[in-house]
Amino acid sequence: MASVFGVGIATVDIINSVESYPDEDAEVRASTQHVSRGGNVCNTLTVLSQLKHQCYWSGVTCRDSDTHFILDDLKKNQIDYRYAQHLDSGKVPTSYITLNRLNGSRTIVHYRDLPELSYQFFKMQKIPKCDWFHFEAREISDTQKMISHIKNIYPKATISVEIEKERKGLEDIFGFADLYLFSKAYALYSGFDNPLKFLSDQKLNSPDADLTCTWGEKGAVALLADGTIIESSAFPPTHIVDTLGAGDTFNAGIIHARLSELDWQQTLSFACQLAGKKCGQMGFENLAAS
Ligand code: ADP
Ligand code: FRU
């Protein structure tokens, strides 16, 4: 068992399942509705907790009723949130998600009225010594300072950063962490239709880091600090049920496999298998069970 500290957002996800994706301006009835706690890092920690790691979360919540729902769920998943910031006003992030039962696609409309976790707050916390620190690249300047702070106080810890989408000043986050986990969405946004070409381009920014990029049903690619290329196919389940958080599950698989000292080929395959399993079920329950 290792210890993992995650920094990112916690959300309330309102998930409506529909038989097929609606046309614009249509009125359709959802076949089911689930409300669950989401957020990339929180989802990743949920899976890591199932894999028996000691997990800590830091992010921002506020005094609204949804915060209780979020914190109760983190507690249920044995994720320690004592280093989170609780503000007096605001609205915790909420995602309105349309899950297409035909293909498991998830379309997310996200609303938030809450500041990001600040470096000012983070540096005042007595952050525990952990084996691994995982950050969502959100407010870049503060995230970069948090990473430098952790490198300073815990130089032996491994640091990973998830790059899901374009952010202001994103270029400043590169060159600091040990591992960057990129999404297909960001690779496409950057003008690449191939994960390896994308990672080769990213290597110029972070030559000493390991890099991964997921590619949905095509699996994932890694480009390691020493230049080695690793590829894994996806592991599709019998039926695709729910792809919400497939990338977050993949990230948990990578972190777990590296903490377990698997080699990189095994690491990438394990992460794709875990993410594939997640796509075959609703939510994140029991993903660690074999
Ligand atoms: P995100 O959740 O960021 O959109 P992706 O869609 O790229 O992430 O998927 C992350 C990982 O989940 C992929 O690398 C793959 O292993 C797995 N995955 C995603 N979609 C499928 C699918 N349709 N079939 C099998 N595995 C999938
Ligand atoms: C899935 C997810 C959801 C959340 C949204 C935030 O990856 O973390 O749980 O609502 O993305 O961007």
Side-chain angles (χ1 to χ4, degrees):
M1 173 188 176
S3 47
V4 183
F5 196 107
V7 177
I9 61 168
T11 64
V12 173
D13 289 354
I14 300 169
I15 306 163
N16 287 322
S17 295
V18 293
E19 297 307 320
S20 63
Y21 196 77
D23 293 330
E24 185 170 351
D25 208 28
E27 181 180 333
V28 297
R29 186 171 289 203
S31 50
T32 61
Q33 184 177 81
H34 295 91
V35 181
S36 56
R37 193 271 311 132
N40 294 13
V41 156
C42 289
N43 292 338
T44 298
L45 292 172
T46 297
V47 181
L48 285 167
S49 181
Q50 290 174 22
L51 290 161
K52 304 278 180 263
H53 299 292
Q54 186 183 352
C55 292
Y56 299 90
W57 172 70
S58 185
V60 184
T61 65
C62 57
R63 276 183 206 279
D64 66 0
S65 55
D66 287 340
T67 289
H68 296 292
F69 176 73
I70 288 173
L71 297 182
D72 283 351
D73 184 85
L74 292 174
K75 195 168 174 190
K76 195 181 90 198
N77 283 289
Q78 292 163 337
I79 298 168
D80 186 333
Y81 53 79
R82 83 183 75 173
Y83 305 101
Q85 183 175 23
H86 307 287
L87 300 177
D88 284 335
S89 60
K91 166 84 196 78
V92 287
T94 307
S95 293
Y96 303 88
I97 297 161
T98 304
L99 189 64
N100 181 354
R101 289 170 75 110
L102 273 185
N103 59 11
S105 80
R106 86 296 182 262
T107 304
I108 305 177
V109 177
H110 186 69
Y111 176 74
R112 58 178 293 124
D113 177 20
L114 207 59
E116 300 286 356
L117 187 72
S118 70
Y119 172 63
Q120 285 305 322
F121 176 84
F122 187 77
K123 75 168 184 199
M124 300 303 285
Q125 308 305 302
K126 207 169 174 319
I127 304 290
K129 186 173 185 180
C130 290
D131 300 295
W132 195 296
F133 288 82
H134 178 59
F135 293 85
E136 269 176 54
R138 300 188 64 82
E139 210 294 308
I140 299 305
S141 160
D142 281 37
T143 308
Q144 191 266 312
K145 287 184 195 137
M146 291 180 216
I147 293 173
S148 297
H149 178 62
I150 294 300
K151 279 178 82 135
N152 198 21
I153 58 174
Y154 300 130
K156 292 202 171 130
T158 304
I159 297 176
S160 56
V161 180
E162 179 204 44
I163 314 284
E164 195 192 34
K165 50 175 85 87
E166 170 62 0
R167 302 274 176 190
K168 188 164 156 274
L170 187 64
E171 59 282 0
D172 294 340
I173 205 82
F174 299 120
F176 291 93
D178 302 290
L179 169 64
Y180 291 89
L181 302 142
F182 292 95
S183 70
K184 179 180 176 183
Y186 181 68
L188 292 175
Y189 169 87
S190 306
F192 291 86
D193 60 3
N194 171 299
L196 187 54
K197 283 190 191 145
F198 167 72
L199 290 184
S200 304
D201 184 62
Q202 285 300 322
K203 192 153 180 58
L204 304 172
N205 296 329
S206 304
D208 301 326
D210 297 321
L211 313 175
T212 68
C213 182
T214 57
W215 213 259
E217 69 285 354
K218 297 265 170 60
V221 176
L223 178 56
L224 306 185
D226 67 5
T228 308
I229 297 163
I230 312 276
E231 295 177 88
S232 172
S233 63
F235 292 79
T238 319
H239 298 292
I240 302 281
V241 175
D242 168 25
T243 61
L244 181 68
D248 309 336
T249 307
F250 172 90
N251 293 349
I254 294 281
I255 294 172
H256 172 70
R258 296 309 291 157
L259 284 167
S260 309
E261 299 183 354
L262 299 192
D263 68 32
W264 261 102
Q265 185 62 65
Q266 292 168 323
T267 294
L268 207 63
S269 298
F270 176 79
C272 285
Q273 277 174 46
L274 198 63
K277 183 172 178 188
K278 192 261 124 359
C279 294
Q281 65 172 59
M282 276 302 293
F284 299 90
E285 301 253 308
N286 290 323
L287 283 172
S290 49

